[in-house]
Amino acid sequence: MKDNFGRQITYMRLSVTDLCNLRCRYCMPEDGICKKRHEEILTEEEIILAVQAAASLGVTKLRITGGEPLVRCNILSICQHAAAVEGIEEVCLTTNGILLPELARPLRTAGVSRVNLSLDTLNAKKYAHITRRGTLDEAMAGLEAALSAGFDKVKINSVLIGGFNDDEIISLAELTKKYPVDVRFIELMPMYDNKDFDEKSYIPCSVVLDKLPEAVLQENTKDHGVAKLYRLPGAKGNIGLISPVSAHFCAQCNRIRLTADGKLKPCLHSSDEYSVKGLDFEGMKAQMEQAILAKPAFHAELSATSKSNAGRTMNQIGG
Ligand code: SAM
Ligand code: SF4
């Protein structure tokens, strides 16, 4: 289905939980979030019904996210049933990787074709600092597990934070030489009033290119989504630059989001929401049509002083 601005909506980001085993400083408050009651969260049956409704409107690609999707106990069954929905061509998953050593192969068997793993630093102390409770060893074990599970693609997501990991741009980018992975640098988004980050934390993706003058722009690549792709000589994967702050990609936005508590979000940076919780197939489809037609042409400027209007933290939306 097309929205009011001619954008074909083919991609749904599906959050299966707002809970997480980490507490990344840019995403979640230290004390976590007020835990939702079980009955507020979409059941597996409701999730699959929502996927069927989305597929009937032309969604072909799903990204399972959270919170941390791998902490949901029936995640394998959700992935398997979502992948089997008619019209769904691809099921991808975004994870912090901590639980991949036990789940990578079962996820592959369940029909997940691509995995994105979040990794902002290769320094153990900095990893513990930014995630507040994870270890770099666990994340690297997750990466190794993803690489040996036979996914079609493994990508690493690194949120670029001035004064934190801009001194690691080269070492993170060089992971594309060591492993068959893409490394995507994502600009830090000001999601809520977070005292951990000030103006200097928000840096544009262009600094990546300043550090990597040998990177070559990859044109005519099918697999780019919203990322601008570059490649280091001799690398096995690409470097992606995702610039939601310095150069938003609203004109190409083909996505809709469904939160774990059943709210469709037409736009990440708007508090506008349409509930599908408790509805049948036709009810969900009608809400989805409304949500798609409510997609704004673009979102307001984001900056250190102009925060997102999302109205929720990132783990509650599904990044
Ligand atoms: N827990 C999983 C993970 O960390 O990959 C999936 C959910 S997480 C919300 C999805 C992605 O959103 C991660 O790559 C994370 O780094 C990114 N993210 C969270 N908060 C962000 C922010 N304020 N700005 C930019 N990216 C953010
Ligand atoms: Fe958890 Fe992912 Fe948010 Fe980190 S970015 S706190 S791993 S949901």
Side-chain angles (χ1 to χ4, degrees), residues 82-142:
V85 169
E86 201 184 323
I88 296 300
E89 295 167 7
E90 200 172 31
V91 176
C92 313
L93 182 133
T94 301
T95 172
N96 58 35
I98 303 290
L99 296 174
L100 278 179
E102 61 241 58
L103 285 173
R105 280 184 194 277
L107 284 168
R108 183 67 186 114
T109 308
V112 173
S113 56
R114 295 163 172 245
V115 163
N116 286 5
L117 187 144
S118 300
L119 182 67
D120 304 329
T121 172
L122 295 170
N123 175 302
K125 275 195 183 146
K126 285 163 75 176
Y127 187 89
H129 172 79
I130 199 75
T131 65
R132 291 197 185 105
R133 51 178 67 174
T135 71
L136 181 63
D137 283 350
E138 290 173 298
M140 294 310 286

Side-chain angles (χ1 to χ4, degrees), residues 19-28 66-68 95-96 118 131 314-315:
L19 302 177
C20 187
N21 45 1
L22 302 183
R23 292 285 182 276
C24 301
R25 287 172 189 270
Y26 44 71
C27 177
M28 238 177 135
E68 173 49 42
T95 172
N96 58 35
S118 300
T131 65
M314 200 65 160
N315 67 297

Side-chain angles (χ1 to χ4, degrees), residues 216-265:
V216 180
L217 180 64
Q218 304 294 292
E219 279 168 307
N220 306 322
T221 319
K222 268 196 246 151
D223 175 39
H224 59 85
V226 294
K228 228 173 166 183
L229 296 183
Y230 295 81
R231 205 168 177 102
L232 295 176
K236 299 172 187 157
N238 292 321
I239 293 165
L241 304 187
I242 303 183
S243 309
V245 179
S246 69
H248 68 70
F249 32 79
C250 302
Q252 292 95 50
C253 184
N254 63 348
R255 63 188 63 176
I256 187 150
R257 291 167 192 269
L258 180 59
T259 66
D261 58 349
K263 304 290 192 298
L264 287 161
K265 283 186 83 70

Side-chain angles (χ1 to χ4, degrees), residues 59-205:
V59 166
T60 57
K61 177 176 168 180
L62 290 180
R63 175 165 300 281
I64 313 260
T65 182
E68 173 49 42
L70 302 190
V71 304
R72 181 149 177 169
C73 58
N74 49 357
I75 184 66
L76 293 173
S77 177
I78 291 174
C79 291
Q80 191 186 353
H81 288 107
V85 169
E86 201 184 323
I88 296 300
E89 295 167 7
E90 200 172 31
V91 176
C92 313
L93 182 133
T94 301
T95 172
N96 58 35
I98 303 290
L99 296 174
L100 278 179
E102 61 241 58
L103 285 173
R105 280 184 194 277
L107 284 168
R108 183 67 186 114
T109 308
V112 173
S113 56
R114 295 163 172 245
V115 163
N116 286 5
L117 187 144
S118 300
L119 182 67
D120 304 329
T121 172
L122 295 170
N123 175 302
K125 275 195 183 146
K126 285 163 75 176
Y127 187 89
H129 172 79
I130 199 75
T131 65
R132 291 197 185 105
R133 51 178 67 174
T135 71
L136 181 63
D137 283 350
E138 290 173 298
M140 294 310 286
L143 175 60
E144 297 284 351
L147 289 170
S148 54
F151 293 110
D152 294 346
K153 191 100 187 170
V154 176
K155 295 181 186 172
I156 291 174
N157 285 348
S158 294
V159 178
L160 197 55
I161 306 169
F164 174 71
N165 63 1
D166 46 340
D167 59 339
E168 291 189 72
I169 288 172
I170 295 174
S171 44
L172 285 164
E174 286 190 341
L175 290 173
T176 63
K177 291 185 174 172
K178 187 168 176 194
Y179 301 108
V181 295
D182 284 9
V183 172
R184 293 144 32 109
F185 291 97
I186 304 171
E187 288 174 356
L188 174 66
M189 291 182 278
M191 294 307 291
Y192 66 108
D193 201 16
N194 189 333
K195 307 278 182 292
D196 280 303
F197 304 104
D198 61 15
E199 261 174 64
K200 293 193 286 300
S201 309
Y202 295 89
I203 54 175
C205 269

